[in-house]
Amino acid sequence: MNKIELLAPAGSLEKLKTAILFGADAVYCGGLNFGLRAGADNFSVAELQEGIEFAHQRHKKVYMTLNMIPHNKELAQLPEYIEKIKELNLDALIISDPGVFAFVKKEMPEMEIHISTQANNVNWASALFWAEQGAERIILARELSRAEIKEIAAKTEGQVELEYFVHGAMCISYSGRCLLSNYFVGRDANKGDCAQSCRWKYHLVEEQRPGEYYPIEENDQGTFIMNSRDLNLAEEIPELIEIGLSSLKVEGRMKSVHYAATVINTYRQLIDQYYQDPENYEADSELLAELRKISHRDYTKGFYYGEPGSEGQRYQSSSYLRSYDFMGVVKDYDAAAKEVVIEVRNKIFKGDELEFVVPGQKTFTSRADYLLDEEGTEIEAAPHPKQLIRVPLENEIPSGSLLRRQKEN
């Protein structure tokens, strides 16, 4: 059995490296143009090169998004952009527009192409069409049920790979094809600049009664009528593998390093546990609980079991659930002193109970009985981002591990 790919978001070079260290088989990222995530840090050509080398040294892959739906003026910039990325040793390009697809096929005939979810891939005929044009993989729309995915997999078996989103934000529109943001604030979702207008609070106004606001539901504070919950299919891993998918994709190029590490570490361990003993596999409850320690909205199974209806939305609020703070990144371990060197991200106090997130392992907690600054002086708190400190830790852990702290009630 070929092991299914775990595909991680990489909104920056740091997130790319974090995702790979925590178990991603491949990452997807955007360049400075054509990538549908204007709010992400995105990559310069030099950063892309560094990221690709980092991944390939560890036998991992890098896919780059080229999935914007360009108007003529943007399309005019494509030839120059393609010339730049020709020099990179990318593993695949993610494309949605047929014109961009044709141009890349002509200019980069050896490049592997994955058809973006932006192309609204919801049936087997569409998948076979793209396969006949030379696409190696289809990224299926989130709006598919398991029955539909099974049928697509059965009718395309051996002809094209299939990829499916298993975790992250859902869109109120159809696979991101939305005009709300453009209408309200002039920021185009189809060019990567969505203002997430669907998360805003709305009231109803009758045409002949301007200024009279009627709550649509819930109470007189209004309601978040289009606020989708976040997708979480961690418990469905066995069936997703058995259906015949090639890749399980995590959404979140604009999310934090902590998000990337926790989600990928969790899915990596769950997938590996399944392959170790498929017949007796049961999802590890401790690992599933990890997905509630990141910043997230209430979870949903999306369209996997059919139309989600009101269960796929949260009408009371669009805010995130945050039960833990991301505190720092492990830079080194001093075995002689039994101390871990930490790059601080949020203020750490002496006596804090810190939870360590380690690649390939379950998290554990250790108390910071003392803090030392770079000169070895004991301090009561480490308040400065990027400050290097030492904290006692009995067991050695690798660089790149993260630490967090539970929020007080």
Side-chain angles (χ1 to χ4, degrees):
M1 185 187 297
N2 290 326
K3 200 168 190 179
I4 201 164
E5 176 186 87
L6 177 58
L7 177 57
S12 68
L13 185 57
E14 181 186 24
K15 294 171 190 175
L16 180 152
K17 292 179 178 180
T18 298
I20 289 172
L21 288 174
F22 278 85
D25 298 303
V27 297
Y28 63 101
C29 58
L32 293 177
N33 305 99
F34 298 97
L36 276 188
R37 278 298 179 272
D41 294 336
N42 291 321
F43 288 71
S44 66
V45 173
E47 287 174 327
L48 270 172
Q49 189 63 60
E50 182 179 344
I52 292 167
E53 289 175 1
F54 182 89
H56 288 177
Q57 287 169 1
R58 291 157 180 80
H59 308 290
K60 310 295 183 181
K61 295 182 178 181
V62 177
Y63 310 143
M64 196 181 84
T65 57
L66 201 65
N67 59 344
M68 192 175 92
I69 302 170
H71 288 251
N72 291 334
K73 62 181 180 180
E74 286 100 22
L75 197 61
Q77 302 168 17
L78 185 60
E80 182 181 357
Y81 191 63
I82 292 296
E83 286 301 313
K84 290 180 181 178
I85 63 176
K86 273 183 179 180
E87 307 302 319
L88 302 171
N89 190 20
L90 288 161
D91 296 285
L93 291 174
I94 301 170
I95 295 174
S96 59
D97 183 78
V100 175
F101 180 95
F103 188 87
V104 170
K105 269 295 176 187
K106 180 182 176 182
E107 298 298 321
M108 304 175 70
E110 302 303 317
M111 175 58 67
E112 183 172 313
I113 296 179
H114 299 173
I115 302 301
S116 171
T117 189
Q118 288 291 117
N120 301 123
N121 301 292
V122 296
N123 62 69
W124 58 265
S126 173
L128 289 177
F129 166 81
W130 283 114
E132 289 168 2
Q133 308 311 308
E136 283 79 10
R137 179 182 294 185
I138 309 298
I139 305 170
L140 297 173
R142 293 172 177 85
E143 296 81 11
L144 292 174
S145 68
R146 59 178 176 175
E148 292 174 304
I149 299 169
K150 285 180 180 179
E151 185 176 359
I152 294 171
K155 293 191 175 182
T156 61
E157 186 176 4
Q159 300 177 72
V160 68
E161 294 182 354
L162 300 177
E163 178 179 306
Y164 188 63
F165 281 94
V166 294
H167 201 95
M170 296 284 285
C171 182
I172 188 65
S173 190
Y174 213 79
S175 287
R177 304 290 285 268
C178 181
L179 296 176
L180 281 176
S181 175
N182 214 340
Y183 176 78
F184 282 120
V185 294
R187 288 170 52 179
D188 195 340
N190 293 314
K191 294 180 183 176
D193 200 22
C194 182
Q196 293 202 328
S197 308
C198 58
R199 312 289 182 188
W200 299 353
K201 185 184 295 185
Y202 290 91
H203 284 70
L204 180 67
V205 178
E206 199 275 322
E207 183 179 4
Q208 300 301 318
R209 295 173 175 80
E212 294 186 35
Y213 298 94
Y214 299 90
I216 299 171
E217 197 172 327
E218 299 303 329
N219 55 41
D220 58 5
Q221 299 302 310
T223 183
F224 298 84
I225 58 173
M226 294 179 285
N227 181 46
S228 298
R229 295 173 182 247
D230 283 356
L231 181 65
N232 178 350
L233 293 178
E235 293 178 287
E236 281 66 35
I237 282 175
E239 187 174 40
L240 289 164
I241 293 173
E242 290 159 10
I243 282 174
L245 295 170
S246 296
S247 180
L248 301 182
K249 186 172 192 173
V250 173
E251 182 274 341
R253 277 191 282 155
M254 293 171 64
K255 300 289 181 66
S256 68
V257 169
H258 176 226
Y259 172 94
T262 303
V263 175
I264 296 305
N265 202 34
T266 300
Y267 276 86
R268 174 78 279 148
Q269 292 181 74
L270 290 170
I271 290 169
D272 290 348
Q273 287 176 8
Y274 169 79
Y275 280 105
Q276 287 169 9
D277 190 1
E279 294 183 3
N280 298 304
Y281 173 83
E282 289 186 16
D284 189 316
S285 59
E286 287 185 50
L287 288 174
L288 294 176
E290 284 291 292
L291 299 174
R292 300 194 176 277
K293 295 180 180 181
I294 55 172
S295 177
H296 67 285
R297 299 182 182 94
D298 288 319
Y299 283 130
T300 175
K301 302 294 184 183
F303 290 77
Y304 191 71
Y305 292 106
E307 295 285 342
S310 61
E311 293 180 1
Q313 308 294 114
R314 185 164 190 251
Y315 298 115
Q316 296 83 5
S317 171
S318 64
S319 61
Y320 286 91
L321 303 174
R322 296 183 173 94
S323 57
Y324 281 77
D325 289 321
F326 171 38
M327 304 307 296
V329 180
V330 172
K331 307 304 289 184
D332 198 4
Y333 183 80
D334 186 335
K338 292 189 179 297
E339 294 171 346
V340 64
V341 179
I342 296 167
E343 182 182 85
V344 175
R345 296 298 173 91
N346 277 299
K347 189 173 183 179
I348 299 174
F349 294 91
K350 177 182 176 180
D352 275 350
E353 291 288 336
L354 300 174
E355 192 167 294
F356 288 82
V357 186
V358 183
Q361 299 180 27
K362 290 186 177 180
T363 57
F364 66 88
T365 302
S366 180
R367 179 183 168 87
D369 289 325
Y370 61 83
L371 309 178
L372 302 177
D373 64 16
E374 289 187 76
E375 285 72 42
T377 303
E378 189 164 346
I379 54 178
E380 293 297 311
H384 307 299
K386 301 291 185 176
Q387 179 180 3
L388 292 178
I389 63 169
R390 287 173 173 260
V391 174
L393 189 66
E394 190 67 25
N395 300 318
E396 182 173 359
I397 58 174
S399 300
S401 299
L402 306 185
L403 57 152
R404 61 192 176 206
R405 182 180 62 206
Q406 187 169 13
K407 288 178 176 287
E408 295 181 3
N409 293 329

